[in-house]
Amino acid sequence: GPRAGGVAARMDGNLPPIPGTGTGAVDLQAQAIALGAAQSGADIPTGADRIPHPAPKAGEVLETSIKGLANFEYDPVQGGDLPADVMALNGVKVKLKGFMIPLTQAEDIKEFALVPSLVSCCFGQPPGVQHVFSCHMPAGRSVEYSLDEITVEGVLRIKVKREDGYTSSLFEVDVTGVTE
């Protein structure tokens, strides 16, 4: 069997480089953190340097993060139009990762908000209106509450809804499936 000395060498944090890569564990960890930030949308440009969405292809499912899809700044008081490339996604099938906030009840949930992070909802900056997706389950179907990140599949509906001089909603999803 393996010698105990070999195990100790592997557990002390001084990992040998992975063959062929020349990078140690620290570099890989940094890459993983950078990748995680990119996936959560932390570094997605939303200003003048934002990257427009390519036009959707027929039947294609757009798999993205909430911040990846809503990659623009939006003032809920001023309101206004969304970027044309975002409007072009109306009616597209999407697959979005996020966290559930039940809107009406905690069991047999028929409607919920999907947000990029629960932490920012509870601590610090609440999500912008463009980062809250109202999800509607199909008739006769419901979903149980989950604390974990979920993946929502469905059809994206883009509608600017305003109440009392304030934009309350931009994105809705007619849900076809929810998975953890």
Side-chain angles (χ1 to χ4, degrees), residues 44-144:
I44 291 173
T46 58
D49 57 347
R50 71 178 287 271
I51 299 165
H53 293 284
K57 297 176 184 68
E60 186 180 39
V61 176
L62 176 63
E63 196 165 339
T64 183
S65 65
I66 290 175
K67 289 189 174 179
L69 195 148
N71 64 346
F72 54 92
E73 288 164 19
Y74 195 84
D75 181 334
V77 178
Q78 295 291 328
D81 295 329
L82 307 191
D85 61 288
V86 175
M87 289 303 296
L89 301 176
N90 190 29
V92 165
K93 290 182 180 153
V94 292
K95 197 170 186 180
L96 287 172
K97 284 184 186 300
F99 293 88
M100 177 190 293
I101 298 180
L103 296 177
T104 47
Q105 66 240 41
E107 290 180 13
D108 298 327
I109 297 165
K110 309 222 180 321
E111 287 188 304
F112 59 93
L114 193 72
V115 296
S117 161
L118 289 178
V119 174
S120 62
C121 275
C122 306
F123 311 101
Q125 290 297 316
V129 67
Q130 73 273 33
H131 295 145
V132 180
F133 285 62
S134 300
C135 298
H136 308 281
M137 296 298 293
R141 294 206 23 221
S142 63
V143 64
E144 294 305 309

Side-chain angles (χ1 to χ4, degrees), residues 26-44:
V26 175
D27 297 326
L28 290 173
Q29 189 177 13
Q31 284 174 17
I33 290 167
L35 184 65
Q39 284 173 341
S40 69
D43 299 323
I44 291 173

